[in-house]
């Protein structure tokens, strides 16, 4: 079983930055992928950024150039650094980890960007 705990969300003004953290209950390199998704009210849940066990990362077009996914193996934690935030980035952000074919989800953390 995999537990994921997100933190770092909050209220920020447009143009500001936040760093989300996702602490995993096991070695993060045991996961095929780790990713961040987000879901705004009334919208579907969308992929924001993903990193493979080999370190390759990919981003949604809306996140490219502004968001960075990174990992700290010593802390079993994956991060999402979000810069130049926009009101349309407002959403609940979820961390996931794919382990033996199963996508495990955290509880989510709210990010609100005011204009």
């Amino acid at each position: 079983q995999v537990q994921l705990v997100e933190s770092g969300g909050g209220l920020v003004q447009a143009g500001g930055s936040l760093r989300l953290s996702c602490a995993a209950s096991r070695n993060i390199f045991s996961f095929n992928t780790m990713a961040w998704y987000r879901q705004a009210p009334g919208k579907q849940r969308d992929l924001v950024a993903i990193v493979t066990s080999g370190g390759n990362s990919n981003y949604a077009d809306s996140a490219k150039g502004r968001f960075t996914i990174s990992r700290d193996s010593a802390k079993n934690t994956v991060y999402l650094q979000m810069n130049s935030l926009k009101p349309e980035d407002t959403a609940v952000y979820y961390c996931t980890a794919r382990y033996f074919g199963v996508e495990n989800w955290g509880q989510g953390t709210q990010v609100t960007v005011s204009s």
Side-chain angles (χ1 to χ4, degrees):
Q1 191 174 0
V2 176
Q3 278 87 43
L4 302 169
V5 179
E6 300 102 330
S7 61
L11 174 64
V12 63
Q13 287 189 331
S17 298
L18 281 175
R19 188 178 76 159
L20 305 183
S21 300
C22 172
S25 60
R26 60 184 305 121
N27 187 332
I28 59 174
F29 290 105
S30 66
F31 304 136
N32 298 112
T33 60
M34 294 192 77
W36 287 95
Y37 286 75
R38 69 185 182 188
Q39 187 168 23
K43 296 190 176 181
Q44 67 181 24
R45 192 172 295 186
D46 292 326
L47 178 67
V48 176
I50 188 167
V51 61
T52 68
S53 57
N56 296 312
S57 58
N58 207 354
Y59 298 89
D61 287 343
S62 60
K64 287 179 182 176
R66 299 189 299 129
F67 293 3
T68 303
I69 189 169
S70 62
R71 301 174 297 176
D72 185 336
S73 59
K75 296 181 179 180
N76 287 329
T77 298
V78 65
Y79 302 99
L80 184 68
Q81 178 67 44
M82 305 187 294
N83 299 327
S84 301
L85 283 162
K86 306 174 182 179
E88 50 264 43
D89 294 319
T90 295
V92 178
Y93 284 71
Y94 298 91
C95 172
T96 75
R98 179 167 286 270
Y99 186 62
F100 283 96
V102 176
E103 198 79 27
N104 298 273
W105 293 81
Q107 82 288 352
T109 186
Q110 176 70 46
V111 171
T112 303
V113 184
S114 64
S115 56

